[in-house]
Amino acid sequence: MRTQTRSIIYRTITCVMIIGALLLTGCAQQELSEQFDEETVEAQALKCVELFNEKDYQTLIDMGDETLQNAITEEKFAEASDPYLEKCGTFSEIEKTIIFGSSNKSTNMEYACVVMIGNYENGKIQFTISFDQDMKLVQFVIK
C-alpha cells in the first residue's frame, strides 16, 4: 500500500513538473521582461517559500494559475513536500536568488522565473518558481 501511495505521489509531482515544462517549452533564459517588477517577483517567490516552510500548501496552490490548481491537491502536495522539510529541518535563510525572464514563442507569453537556494538546519532546498504575466504561479519545483 505504501509503495502504491508513493507511486501516485511521484506521478503527480511528475505531472506538475511536465505541465510547468510544457508551459515554458520553447523558452530561453533571458532578461526579465519590462512587464514584471523584479522586487515584486522576488517578494512573491519569497512568499511561496514561506508558505512551503509553513506547510500552507493550499494557499500556495491557490496562488497558481488554473492549470496548476487543477494539477495537484493539497494532500498530494503535502505528501511530496513534507519529506523535504522533515529531512532538512528548520529553515534558516535564502542563500542565493537568481531572477530572470523566459518566454514561450508559440504563445507569446512572458514568464518571470526565480531560482532560490534555501539553507535549512540539515541541508539545502533549491526552489524553481515561475509566474505568468498576471503573477499567477505556474511552476513550483523543489529539489
Side-chain angles (χ1 to χ4, degrees):
M1 179 73 175
R2 187 164 174 84
T3 304
Q4 184 179 17
T5 302
R6 282 190 174 173
S7 177
I8 291 170
I9 292 168
Y10 292 126
R11 281 188 264 147
T12 302
I13 291 171
T14 302
C15 180
V16 170
M17 290 173 62
I18 289 171
I19 289 170
L22 288 174
L23 287 172
L24 301 176
T25 299
C27 302
Q29 184 175 331
Q30 58 197 33
E31 292 291 321
L32 187 63
S33 167
E34 291 180 7
Q35 296 178 4
F36 296 98
D37 175 68
E38 188 169 336
E39 289 180 13
T40 302
V41 170
E42 184 172 6
Q44 281 295 97
L46 283 170
K47 181 177 179 181
C48 291
V49 172
E50 288 172 9
L51 292 169
F52 171 82
N53 288 325
E54 295 167 1
K55 298 184 179 184
D56 189 354
Y57 304 127
Q58 188 58 55
T59 302
L60 194 52
I61 292 167
D62 292 343
M63 290 175 65
D65 68 352
E66 186 176 339
T67 303
L68 188 138
Q69 289 181 12
N70 292 329
I72 193 166
T73 65
E74 180 179 17
E75 293 78 22
K76 297 296 182 196
F77 207 116
E79 289 173 13
S81 300
D82 286 351
Y84 283 91
L85 291 170
E86 290 166 9
K87 177 184 174 191
C88 291
T90 305
F91 175 74
S92 175
E93 66 181 351
I94 295 295
E95 170 183 303
K96 185 173 186 178
T97 301
I98 301 169
I99 300 173
F100 57 95
S102 67
S103 60
N104 184 318
K105 302 299 181 199
S106 64
T107 63
N108 291 324
M109 288 292 295
E110 297 283 339
Y111 298 96
C113 304
V114 182
V115 176
M116 292 182 156
I117 307 295
N119 283 332
Y120 289 77
E121 178 181 27
N122 301 314
K124 297 181 182 192
I125 298 177
Q126 176 179 310
F127 300 90
T128 304
I129 304 167
S130 300
F131 301 98
D132 66 13
Q133 295 164 326
D134 297 322
M135 289 304 295
K136 293 285 189 180
L137 183 65
V138 295
Q139 182 182 42
F140 185 87
V141 179
I142 53 175
K143 64 179 180 176

